[in-house]
Amino acid sequence: MAGVQQLRHASLHDVELAGLAAAGDRRAFGELARRHGSAVRGLLRRMGAPSAEADDAAQDAFVAAFERITEFRGEGTFAGWVKKIAARLYLRRLQRARRLRDLAVEADDAPAATGGGAEDRIDLDEGLKALGPAERMCVTLCFGAGLSHAEAADALGLPLGTVKSHVKRGLERLRARLAPSDSDTLEGRRGNG
Amino acid sequence: MAEVEFERRLERMFSEAPELPDAQAFASRVERRLDRGWTTRRWLIGVAGVVGGLVGAAQLIMSNFLSQVESASTGSAKVLSVGLSEVAPRIEWMATLPSGPGLVWVASALAVVALGFALTRVIGEI
């Protein structure tokens, strides 16, 4: 019976699963956690959370998302919605542990960027590790969790200008480390203020 | 333009997180937490309902309800007896119901249970 239900859930769209979860179907929400758990955990790890802490925070985020599932109306993706919740919850965790303050006083001690090229190709995770904690956090919040600069500044408790400069510096460093991609043909502007 | 392209590429890279090998186990842990939370909530609601019912009963008893029921129950019992005797020829089984002050007490107890149930539902909705 549970297997049949699981199969049925597996064939449903995220929005349909969210609708079932809103009606109290916890198995439907479990399917959403199975689909997007890795992305959320990955995001938190990229924000600098150790694996175990990232998993804990991701669990908290999914439980919190279930509690307010009626707020999700399918306007954006479910993954994007739950990632924002997770990012904010993780920042609150850091704040409680007084670890967020370190970001505000962080000196520019990130490793110097090296030149990029095909031979220097490294993946995103390696690239992020080369950034300073504040740059890494700001870049991940804005490009991974989909927060605007203003939202990131608010969540981090940092001035908007500081966040913008962290993002700018982080992007410059990442660009220097990540090799150009052949698929870089998409155009469009990110609505990030 | 190159900046925009790089930003789009970065967004894609962020969104292309690989599925972790324990994705199913993670989902199961989330489900267990939801189940645990639900069980705890049901217990809390149940306890709140019982406490609410008890408080309601205590309030009724403390507010001179006891003596009022004593006097009212005699009259009510008579009314009930008359009512039942009128209905009895048509519905024979109702004549088997006890028709005395005890019936009023049972009704009061049921009212307390109903109050507790209603309170439970309200808390559940909240």
Side-chain angles (χ1 to χ4, degrees), chain A residues 40-113:
Chain A
V40 173
R41 293 156 74 195
L43 173 79
L44 295 172
R45 288 176 193 190
R46 282 169 172 166
M47 283 171 73
S51 297
E53 193 177 6
D55 288 4
D56 276 355
Q59 272 189 47
D60 289 348
F62 274 100
V63 171
F66 181 75
E67 296 290 334
R68 42 198 271 211
I69 189 72
T70 50
E71 292 174 23
F72 175 69
R73 294 190 174 85
E75 285 147 4
T77 62
F78 178 82
W81 182 68
V82 80
K83 274 181 186 176
K84 281 187 181 180
I85 294 175
R88 288 200 167 100
L89 275 181
Y90 179 61
L91 290 180
R92 235 172 281 158
R93 241 174 205 247
L94 292 181
Q95 215 156 24
R96 275 201 302 273
R98 299 181 188 282
R99 283 186 283 160
L100 201 56
R101 240 190 269 169
D102 302 342
L103 289 178
V105 296
E106 181 216 353
D108 186 14
D109 56 356

Side-chain angles (χ1 to χ4, degrees), chain A residues 26-27 29-30 34 38 41 46 59-60 66-67 144 171 175 179 181 183-184 186 188-190, chain B residues 3-7 9-12 14 18-20 22 24 26-27 29 31 33-35 38 41:
Chain A
R26 296 187 295 284
R27 300 286 93 81
F29 193 80
R34 195 196 59 74
S38 298
R41 293 156 74 195
R46 282 169 172 166
Q59 272 189 47
D60 289 348
F66 181 75
E67 296 290 334
L171 287 181
R175 201 190 341 242
S181 161
S183 59
D184 277 352
L186 284 175
R189 179 103 218 141
R190 177 184 165 72
Chain B
E3 267 181 37
V4 177
E5 283 172 8
F6 180 70
E7 287 180 9
R9 179 182 164 207
L10 202 57
E11 281 178 335
R12 276 202 308 279
F14 267 111
E19 179 153 324
L20 297 172
D22 60 343
Q24 185 61 53
F26 174 80
R29 284 198 295 275
E31 280 189 34
R33 274 189 62 177
L34 294 179
D35 288 342
W38 185 245
R41 184 178 295 183

Side-chain angles (χ1 to χ4, degrees), chain A residues 122-124 127 173-180, chain B residues 6 9-10 13:
Chain A
I122 49 172
D123 70 8
L124 176 62
R173 286 194 160 124
L174 272 178
R175 201 190 341 242
R177 293 189 72 91
L178 297 172
Chain B
F6 180 70
R9 179 182 164 207
L10 202 57
M13 290 174 92

